Amino acid sequence: MRIVRTAAGMLLLTIGLPVLLVGGALWTAMQHRDGEGAFSGRIERITTPGHAVVVPDLDALLRRDAPFTRARDTRLRLTARTESGPALVGIAPAEDVARYLAGAPYAQVDRVSLTAGPLPVAVTPVAGTAVPAAQPAWQVAGTGAVGWGSSEVRGQRLALVVMHPDASAGMTVDLRVEVRPGWLAPTMWGLLVAGAVLVVLGMATLAWPARRPAPTRPATLADVLTPPVPVPAQPVERPRTGWAAPTPMPVRPILAWPPHPSVAVTPAPLPASAAVPEPAGPASTGPRTDRPPAGEPALPETAEPERVGPDLPGSADLASALGALGTGSRSTRRRKTAAGLPTDHTVPSVSPPTAPRTRK
């Protein structure tokens, strides 16, 4: 991309600089116009013993020595004056002029050089002894000066004749030419603008900053190793539109007692220390009579039989709690029956057997 921009910029500069220089040259030339806006120049004085000063082919002379005067919208004006006064200037077909001056002496202009100061001319004298007769049919004619457009003589073989109005011999003539190119100002401005634009574009193209390449990191072992073969992606099955899997219902815990009705609870025996005390009887004020009298040996006490109770520790508390609930509830009675407990309202108390008492 950088090479393309450089080539384009150089091409634009190669075209734009000459165009700009030509436009500048035309602008410089326009500064030499006279007050009336025309480029004027004096031709060297021409002296001849003949009857006229003749340009045999006007369009060929302009094409060879002053080609810019043949461009369109260009007007030319020739002013001629002799020592006796204004001269006759006429333009006619070359064949008619040749017949008119046949055998008469005159001066033939072959070349005009464009230089600074008076314009030098190359003149060739033509000898003769005859006197011109009747004048030809002039296409353009005037006394003292004559003007014409470049389009009027372009491509035609016309002759320009300068002589005394009475066609007398011997003359010294002063000529002055004025050129008014109507195309010069538009061409100058067009070249200046186009050249400036091309030069600016060429310089901008050359000065356009190049894109900096991204910094490259040094090669590592991962860059040298062969990259792993990519695993083909597995197609993902999308759920059908409008169908969704059912949401499972939450599981609620069973808060029932006992945990499972099929499990039977076997009552465990109560320890001996958990004997139920005797019910309180009538208060006695005397001493106890169950003790043996003094001097008699004490009878051995009979061991207290074990109580039959639940197999599980703490079942007495469970029985008390269930008894406190009462028997009015059917579920409560079923639970007591499953646990092997009585279904009355109160838990029966078991009293250990007492030994026989001996009275005095």
Side-chain angles (χ1 to χ4, degrees):
M1 191 63 183
R2 179 63 179 175
I3 298 177
V4 175
R5 286 201 302 268
T6 303
M10 294 299 296
L11 180 62
L12 291 174
L13 288 179
T14 304
I15 299 175
L17 285 176
V19 171
L20 187 62
L21 290 177
V22 173
L26 293 180
W27 181 84
T28 303
M30 289 188 65
Q31 309 307 314
H32 296 278
R33 293 178 299 178
D34 56 16
E36 298 180 357
F39 295 94
S40 59
R42 188 171 63 85
I43 300 176
E44 288 182 348
R45 180 175 295 181
I46 301 174
T47 302
T48 178
H51 295 273
V53 176
V54 181
V55 178
D57 193 344
L58 181 60
D59 186 59
L61 177 69
L62 295 177
R63 182 173 58 250
R64 181 179 62 249
D65 298 334
F68 63 91
T69 60
R70 299 179 71 250
R72 63 177 183 176
D73 299 335
T74 302
R75 297 288 301 178
L76 291 93
R77 181 179 177 86
L78 179 65
T79 303
R81 188 175 183 86
T82 64
E83 67 278 4
S84 60
L88 173 65
V89 181
I91 298 175
E95 294 81 4
D96 296 346
V97 173
R99 284 193 300 268
Y100 173 65
L101 297 175
Y106 61 90
Q108 179 178 321
V109 178
D110 298 327
R111 190 177 186 87
V112 178
S113 302
L114 299 179
T115 59
L119 303 180
V121 294
V123 179
T124 301
V126 177
T129 57
V131 177
Q135 297 182 0
W138 304 108
Q139 186 172 341
V140 179
T143 301
V146 65
W148 69 93
S150 60
S151 58
E152 298 176 6
V153 299
R154 187 186 307 118
Q156 303 181 36
R157 194 171 183 274
L158 301 175
L160 174 68
V161 179
V162 178
M163 64 182 194
H164 288 292
D166 56 358
S168 58
M171 60 181 300
T172 300
V173 60
D174 293 327
L175 301 175
R176 185 178 184 85
V177 182
E178 296 180 358
V179 181
R180 300 174 184 271
W183 52 269
L184 184 58
T187 304
M188 177 200 68
W189 289 113
L191 292 176
L192 287 177
V193 173
V197 170
L198 291 176
V199 170
V200 170
L201 288 178
M203 296 180 64
T205 304
L206 292 176
W208 190 268
R211 181 181 299 178
R212 296 182 178 179
T216 57
R217 60 183 179 87
T220 59
L221 184 59
D223 299 331
V224 179
L225 296 178
T226 304
V229 179
V231 180
Q234 297 294 337
V236 180
E237 295 183 0
R238 298 183 178 179
R240 298 179 181 177
T241 307
W243 180 87
T247 304
M249 298 297 294
V251 180
R252 297 182 179 180
I254 300 175
L255 303 178
W257 184 263
H260 200 281
S262 62
V263 179
V265 180
T266 305
L270 295 176
S273 59
V276 181
E278 289 183 345
S284 59
T285 57
R288 295 182 59 180
T289 59
D290 55 351
R291 294 183 180 181
E296 294 183 3
L299 298 176
E301 297 182 356
T302 306
E304 183 177 357
E306 294 181 359
R307 293 185 57 187
V308 180
D311 296 338
L312 299 177
S315 59
D317 299 337
L318 177 59
S320 301
L322 292 176
L325 293 175
T327 57
S329 174
R330 184 179 301 175
S331 62
T332 303
R333 289 197 299 270
R334 285 200 303 268
R335 292 173 185 174
K336 287 183 178 183
T337 305
L341 300 177
T343 58
D344 53 353
H345 294 279
T346 60
V347 179
S349 59
V350 180
S351 300
T354 58
R357 296 181 181 179
T358 307
R359 296 181 180 271
K360 291 184 179 180

